[in-house]
Amino acid sequence: MKIKIESLTKKFPSNEKKNIAETIAVSDFNLEINDGELVALLGPSGCGKSTTLYMISGLIEPTSGKIYFGDEDVTDLISEKRSIGFVFQNYALYPHMNIFKNISFPLTNLKVNDYVYFPKIVFLLKIKKVLSEESSRNKLEELIKENTLEKKLDRYKLVNAFKKEFKLSLKYANKFYTYILKFNSDYKAIIKYIDETILKIRKAFSLFKIKIDENGYFLNKDSKAFKKVRKLYRCEIDLLVNDIARIVKIDEYLYRKPSELSGGQQQRVAIARALVKKPKVLLLDEPLSNLDARLRIETREEIKRIQKETGITTIFVTHDQDEAMAISDKMVVMSMGEIQQIGEPDDIYRNPKNLFVAKFLGVPPINIYDGEIKNGGLYIAHEKITDKKINIDDQKVIIGIRPEAYLLDDESKEGITLNIKKIYTSGRDLTLIAEHPSSKDEIKIILDSEHSVNMGNNKFRLLTSKLYIFNAKTEKRVEF
C-alpha cells in the first residue's frame, strides 16, 4: 500500500485558564511511502513523530492536510476502516488470555464478504487432497517417520506438523491424526470414509431443502455458490492465527499466558495481533523501548524479517538512531514538529542537510567546532585543517567532524592539534577523549587499537569526506 501525506499539521489549542499556549506538534509534514517500504520516523522526544503516527492511524484528527492510502483519501476515515495494524509501546496484551486468544481477538468480530460453506466438508477435502496427491502423500510419510519413536506416533509433534505443512486447523489436524490411527494408515480407506461422510452431510441438509455442492459450498436458488457478509469461521481464525504465529516464530507458545513469555516474545505477540487481520499498513510506536539492549537488537532484526516476509508497508517510530538506521528503507528525521531530512539511512548520515541532523546521527556524536573560512582556507583557531581550497567567501562557520575522521599524523602540515585527556580501549577500537578551545563539548575520536597515543597534545590529519561546514546563522550545510 502506497501512502501519501500532504501538508499534515496538528495544532493543540491554547488554554488561557491553565496558562497553556497554542502548541504546533506537527507542521506542514509531507511524505511519500512506497508500497512495501519500511519507513522510520526518527527524532528526540517531543518532535512530533508519535503525533504524526497517530494521525496516520486515525486516532488523532489533523488540524489540516491530507492522508492518502493508495488513491483513497482516508483523512476523515475512522481508524477501524483504515485497514491498519497498530503495535503500541506497552504491547497491551490481555494477561488472562493465552497467546492464541490474544492474537485472535481482533478477528472475533471481524466481518468479511465471502462465500458461505460448511467448514467440515472443506477441511475433509483438504485431507483427501493430501492423501490423493503423490507429493503430499510422500511428505506425509516423511512426517510420520520423523515423529515415530519405538513404533509409537508422537501425537503432539505430528499434529503440529500437519498444521504447518498442510495448512490445517488444530481441530482437523487432530482429526487427520485420528484417521491415520483408526484406519492403520490405509489411505484408500480414509478417502472412502471422507467421501461417505461428505455424502451424509449433504443428504442431511437436503432434508431441509438446503443445497451444498461437492466442495462444501452452500448454493442459492440458482444452484450457485453465493457470498454474504459474515463473521469468520473458527477454522478460518485458527488458520490465520497459526500462519502469523509461524511467521513471527511464536507458534510453539500459543497456549501459554503472556506472563510466561519473555519481553521479546511478548513483542512478537503484539506484532502478530496487529498483522493477523492482514492490514494494508503496519504502524509501530517505539515498540522496542521496554526491552533490554540485547533483546532490542534481536527484536529489531525480527521486525525487519517479518516486514520483508509479509511485504506490508510499515511506519516505525523511534528516538533510537541505531534502530532506525538498522531496519529502515527510508528515514525521516524530525525536530520541533518539522521534517529535517528524508532519505536512506546511510545517505543521511553521510550527507546531513543541517547541523541538527549531523548532531543527532552518529555514535559517538559528531564533534562541533567554531571555525572560519579565510582566504580559501578552512581554519579552527589558528590551524588550517585541510589543504582543500574552500571556494566560499570569508566568514565565521560551524565545523562538524565525525569521530572516525581523525588520523594520527604529527608530520602533517594541515590538521588539528587536540589535547588528549583520556584513552579507552574497546576491542579493535581506541576511544580518545580530547578538548580544544574552539569546541564547547568534549571531543571523541575513534582509532584502530593498533595506534600508540600519548596523553596531551597530538596532531591529527582529517578525512575531508567526514568533515562538514555549516552556516553559522542558518545552521544549514554548506557544500565545499
Side-chain angles (χ1 to χ4, degrees):
M1 171 63 70
K2 184 177 180 180
I3 299 174
K4 187 177 182 181
I5 301 168
E6 294 181 348
S7 303
L8 198 64
T9 298
K10 179 61 184 178
K11 297 179 181 179
F12 292 101
S14 59
N15 188 323
E16 292 183 4
K17 290 183 179 180
K18 295 183 179 180
N19 196 30
I20 298 174
E22 181 184 71
T23 302
I24 302 175
V26 179
S27 177
D28 196 28
F29 187 98
N30 292 276
L31 178 65
E32 286 193 19
I33 302 172
N34 297 320
D35 184 26
E37 201 167 35
L38 194 160
V39 173
L41 303 185
L42 174 67
S45 297
C47 72
K49 55 189 185 296
S50 288
T51 302
T52 302
L53 193 76
Y54 276 67
M55 286 192 284
I56 294 169
S57 73
L59 296 174
I60 290 180
E61 183 180 353
T63 304
S64 61
K66 294 290 183 182
I67 303 167
Y68 295 91
F69 285 5
D71 296 325
E72 183 184 7
D73 183 352
V74 300
T75 311
D76 299 320
L77 206 61
I78 61 172
S79 182
E80 289 79 4
K81 294 186 178 181
R82 293 196 185 192
S83 187
I84 61 163
F86 204 120
V87 179
F88 295 91
Q89 186 174 340
N90 62 356
Y91 314 154
L93 302 181
Y94 301 108
H96 63 289
M97 293 182 180
N98 64 27
I99 300 309
F100 182 96
K101 289 182 179 178
N102 263 283
I103 296 173
S104 65
F105 187 79
L107 301 174
T108 51
N109 292 312
L110 183 67
K111 292 185 178 180
V112 293
N113 184 18
D114 206 348
Y115 287 103
V116 184
Y117 60 85
F118 194 71
K120 185 172 182 178
I121 294 178
V122 171
F123 282 88
L124 284 175
L125 288 173
K126 270 194 173 185
I127 294 172
K128 180 180 177 180
K129 186 177 180 182
V130 170
L131 298 174
S132 302
E133 295 180 353
E134 185 179 356
S135 59
S136 299
R137 201 164 55 243
N138 290 339
K139 186 63 182 178
L140 173 62
E141 292 284 358
E142 186 182 318
L143 292 174
I144 291 173
K145 187 177 179 180
E146 288 174 357
N147 296 287
T148 302
L149 185 63
E150 296 179 355
K151 297 184 179 180
K152 187 176 180 181
L153 296 176
D154 187 325
R155 179 173 189 141
Y156 175 78
K157 288 184 178 179
L158 204 53
V159 166
N160 280 322
F162 289 168
K163 284 165 56 182
K164 182 178 180 179
E165 187 64 36
F166 305 125
K167 296 290 193 284
L168 294 172
S169 66
L170 177 62
K171 178 180 178 180
Y172 284 96
N174 271 303
K175 278 189 176 293
F176 196 7
Y177 174 86
T178 303
Y179 295 158
I180 289 170
L181 284 185
K182 182 179 178 181
F183 294 98
N184 197 27
S185 296
D186 184 343
Y187 301 149
K188 288 184 179 179
I190 298 174
I191 291 172
K192 182 181 178 183
Y193 173 78
I194 289 172
D195 288 338
E196 290 173 350
T197 302
I198 291 173
L199 187 60
K200 285 178 183 178
I201 294 170
R202 294 177 67 204
K203 283 183 177 179
F205 274 99
S206 69
L207 294 174
F208 300 95
K209 297 183 179 180
I210 298 173
K211 295 180 181 179
I212 300 180
D213 69 12
E214 64 276 7
N215 296 314
Y217 288 82
F218 287 96
L219 305 176
N220 59 21
K221 292 179 181 179
D222 299 324
S223 297
K224 292 182 179 179
F226 64 94
K227 291 182 177 181
K228 77 168 188 178
V229 176
R230 61 171 176 82
K231 287 186 177 182
L232 291 172
Y233 299 134
R234 285 186 181 180
C235 53
E236 292 174 326
I237 291 175
D238 190 294
L239 286 177
L240 287 169
V241 172
N242 276 282
D243 279 346
I244 198 63
R246 278 193 292 274
I247 290 172
V248 302
K249 296 183 179 179
I250 53 167
D251 45 315
E252 60 184 294
Y253 308 123
L254 285 175
Y255 298 99
R256 293 187 186 182
K257 294 287 181 66
S259 60
E260 298 175 292
L261 303 186
S262 69
Q265 289 165 343
Q266 289 183 35
Q267 182 58 270
R268 280 185 272 170
V269 173
I271 293 170
R273 186 176 59 188
L275 290 174
V276 74
K277 291 193 300 181
K278 297 186 177 178
K280 295 175 182 177
V281 177
L282 176 63
L283 307 175
L284 302 110
D285 186 19
E286 304 217 31
L288 309 181
S289 58
N290 293 328
L291 304 180
D292 61 42
R294 183 174 178 180
L295 263 180
R296 276 214 301 270
I297 293 171
E298 291 176 1
T299 308
R300 78 189 186 197
E301 293 303 319
E302 280 298 296
I303 289 174
K304 181 73 172 177
R305 179 189 62 78
I306 293 163
Q307 191 271 335
K308 290 303 175 188
E309 192 169 329
T310 57
I312 187 170
T313 305
T314 302
I315 305 175
F316 182 102
V317 161
T318 182
H319 64 271
D320 188 318
Q321 57 170 300
D322 283 345
E323 286 175 13
M325 296 189 74
I327 71 171
S328 63
D329 302 312
K330 184 188 291 181
M331 204 160 66
V332 181
V333 184
M334 297 181 67
S335 175
M336 302 296 289
E338 296 182 348
I339 293 175
Q340 300 297 313
Q341 191 167 348
I342 301 172
E344 294 180 5
D346 190 58
D347 185 55
I348 293 179
Y349 178 80
R350 293 176 183 276
N351 300 290
K353 285 188 174 180
N354 57 44
L355 184 60
F356 173 83
V357 175
K359 290 170 73 173
F360 193 75
L361 293 183
V363 179
I366 195 168
N367 298 305
I368 302 299
Y369 302 85
D370 293 325
E372 65 176 323
I373 298 170
K374 186 168 56 178
N375 300 323
L378 185 61
Y379 291 83
I380 294 177
H382 63 279
E383 292 182 297
K384 186 178 182 182
I385 63 171
T386 177
D387 59 0
K388 185 174 181 179
K389 184 172 176 57
I390 310 299
N391 296 313
I392 302 171
D393 293 341
D394 291 2
Q395 59 184 284
K396 299 288 185 183
V397 292
I398 300 169
I399 297 172
I401 305 172
R402 294 286 183 197
E404 63 272 25
Y406 298 81
L407 303 173
L408 198 61
D409 189 350
D410 288 330
E411 304 300 323
S412 178
K413 292 181 180 180
E414 285 79 22
I416 187 169
T417 303
L418 299 173
N419 183 16
I420 308 300
K421 306 296 287 185
K422 296 177 185 177
I423 301 174
Y424 300 104
T425 303
S426 55
R428 294 178 300 174
D429 294 332
L430 281 181
T431 300
L432 312 182
I433 308 299
E435 62 181 15
H436 191 278
S438 293
S439 179
K440 299 173 185 176
D441 304 311
E442 68 178 16
I443 295 155
K444 292 184 178 179
I445 301 164
I446 304 295
L447 297 177
D448 289 336
S449 58
E450 63 187 29
H451 286 87
S452 177
V453 184
N454 298 317
M455 302 291 281
N457 289 339
N458 285 265
K459 184 72 174 285
F460 294 88
R461 182 164 48 87
L462 301 172
L463 295 174
T464 53
S465 60
K466 297 180 181 293
L467 187 155
Y468 307 95
I469 300 174
F470 302 94
N471 184 285
K473 293 181 179 178
T474 65
E475 297 188 350
K476 289 183 178 181
R477 184 180 165 197
V478 179
E479 296 292 344
F480 68 96

